[in-house]
Amino acid sequence: MKNWKRMLLSLTISVGLLASAVPAMAAPQGTSVKVNDQAVKYATGAPILEKGTTLVPLRTTLDAMDVKLTTATDDTITAVVDGKTITLKSKLTRINGVTYAPIRIVGDATGYEVRWDAATRTVLLVSKGGATETAQTGGRGFMWEVESNGNTIYLVGSMHIADESFYPLRPEFEEAFAEADYLGVEIDISKAADEEQQKLVLSLGSYQDGTTLKDHISSETYTKLGDVLKKNGLESNALDAFKPWVVESTLASLKSTTAGYEASAGVDLYFIQKAIERKLPVIELESYQSQLGMFNDFSKETQEETLKATIENFDVLDNSVKEMAEMWKTGNDEQLLELTNSFSTNEEYNKAMLVDRNIGMADKIDGYLKNGKGEEYFIVVGAAHYLGDHGIVKLLEDKGYNVERK
């Protein structure tokens, strides 16, 4: 936990456990696929990441999995696996004459375990029970259950950036999700690449008045930032167009990606992808506008303070993310509470990031519990929102609910 003490306000923490809409101005990288440790060679087409879902050329991928494709229509795939014909439902996409399908649903349906290696940006398909399968224990994570008026709500604490070691999740997560009528998330990050969201990021996160970053932070901070950028192969002025909160999140993203943790493997996106496959309604407890607006509304002093914290501790950010990952995988409530309480060192930051947002989310959850429709909700928000005097668990208990740790 020592590294958290050195960087309490870093947006690395925000990306990991608090907010899912934090932008990073970095170019996307390619994605590869391996089947039982053998790289799949695509003669036509290549894997792509679309709205948080990895799509792969269907026929080539199935051939590599020793699965024979029979037919593929707009939303139905028929294939032969070990001599047995299977049919699976999935929306298919045609790009330049090549049929693409979501790799997770294809892998699951054909008897493969689907993993993600964020460090190499590789999707790993492993035969269940095969010789190449290694023992893997997913994280305990954080989950609570609330029941009222015939409704059941599971509250799941997400880590918005993760890697393959988080999966498979323990069965309690999958079983609760399987019975859900709705998936609730902070925001639906599968829409992050939409033109509307990108315009919002640029309009809020960049200067529109002819000034640049250099005009809004101290010369000392600007010089230190330039040094960090140059050490990472960028021009010292590469992020001049952006405000401090975007610059900070970009630095944090660079470091967390180096450590092997990415939003494409995050717990909330994992369930969003499964909800899309199941055609399960996804409800948002917040919005891109509210989250990005919150960062944009921080005072000049807080924006520079958090940027300085990230710059000064840049060399240990990856270790901090690893510590958070271990905390999540062990489901350590004590460490999570310690982290949550650390935000109180900056009143403005704590009020915006935790106190106000927790009240809004708890009120929405209260509404779901009171609707009396006999429904089940699976709610996934950043883990740091749940514990402490201002956490969602305490807010619901204050409303008279019994919240049970699972």
Side-chain angles (χ1 to χ4, degrees), residues 89-383:
K89 294 288 186 179
S90 176
K91 182 180 178 181
L92 302 180
T93 303
R94 289 188 66 80
I95 303 174
N96 297 327
V98 178
T99 300
Y100 284 75
I103 194 165
R104 185 169 293 279
I105 193 170
V106 171
D108 288 345
T110 53
Y112 283 77
E113 182 181 337
V114 183
R115 304 176 187 168
W116 170 248
D117 183 348
T120 60
R121 295 191 61 81
T122 302
V123 180
L124 306 174
L125 296 170
V126 180
S127 299
K128 294 180 179 178
T132 61
E133 184 176 13
T134 58
Q136 183 181 14
T137 302
R140 168 169 166 72
F142 301 93
M143 184 165 68
W144 296 263
E145 181 181 0
V146 192
E147 293 182 327
S148 182
N149 296 308
N151 288 0
T152 300
I153 292 185
Y154 288 94
L155 303 170
V156 174
S158 174
M159 186 157 169
H160 299 310
I161 52 175
D163 69 0
E164 77 282 357
S165 68
F166 280 60
Y167 305 96
L169 299 175
R170 60 188 172 99
E172 289 87 347
F173 283 92
E174 302 289 1
E175 291 164 5
F177 179 76
E179 298 298 322
D181 299 297
Y182 298 93
L183 170 66
V185 291
E186 293 174 27
I187 55 175
D188 184 350
I189 57 174
S190 70
K191 301 175 182 177
D194 288 358
E195 183 178 359
E196 180 181 350
Q197 312 304 345
Q198 292 300 303
K199 286 182 177 178
L200 181 61
V201 170
L202 289 174
S203 65
L204 288 177
S206 60
Y207 294 106
Q208 310 292 326
D209 58 2
T211 62
T212 67
L213 178 68
K214 192 174 183 178
D215 301 311
H216 295 269
I217 60 177
S218 69
S219 58
E220 179 186 5
T221 301
Y222 184 78
T223 299
K224 289 181 177 179
L225 170 64
D227 291 341
V228 169
L229 292 175
K230 284 190 290 187
K231 287 179 181 177
N232 284 272
L234 300 171
E235 296 293 330
S236 61
N237 63 352
L239 299 176
D240 274 14
F242 301 104
K243 296 178 181 179
W245 61 275
V246 177
V247 176
E248 182 193 351
S249 64
T250 300
L251 293 181
S253 178
L254 286 172
K255 203 62 170 173
S256 59
T257 300
T258 300
Y261 300 91
E262 297 193 51
S264 56
V267 176
D268 43 349
L269 185 55
Y270 170 79
F271 284 110
I272 289 172
Q273 291 174 330
K274 291 177 76 72
I276 292 171
E277 293 162 7
R278 279 182 52 191
K279 295 183 170 56
L280 190 73
V282 178
I283 53 178
E284 296 178 301
L285 278 68
E286 299 182 303
S287 67
Y288 273 94
Q289 181 73 49
S290 68
Q291 284 203 3
L292 295 176
M294 172 192 64
F295 289 114
N296 194 53
D297 289 343
F298 280 135
S299 67
K300 178 180 179 180
E301 292 75 19
T302 291
Q303 287 201 41
E304 181 160 0
E305 181 183 353
T306 58
L307 175 57
K308 283 177 63 178
T310 297
I311 293 172
E312 291 171 358
N313 296 287
F314 188 76
D315 291 339
V316 299
L317 292 184
D318 48 354
N319 290 330
S320 299
V321 177
K322 290 176 182 177
E323 288 179 7
M324 286 191 296
E326 287 306 308
M327 177 203 68
W328 192 94
K329 288 185 286 187
T330 57
N332 192 316
D333 292 55
E334 181 180 344
Q335 290 184 348
L336 179 60
L337 179 59
E338 178 187 346
L339 169 68
T340 301
N341 288 339
S342 72
F343 290 103
S344 62
T345 58
N346 182 298
E347 184 177 352
E348 179 189 12
Y349 195 86
N350 186 61
K351 185 175 186 299
M353 290 294 290
L354 280 172
V355 178
D356 293 346
R357 293 174 63 206
N358 289 356
I359 291 172
M361 288 192 280
D363 286 346
K364 287 195 174 183
I365 294 167
D366 179 40
Y368 304 148
L369 287 165
K370 286 179 176 176
N371 69 26
K373 295 181 180 180
E375 296 172 327
E376 182 169 311
Y377 293 76
F378 193 85
I379 305 290
V380 185
V381 302

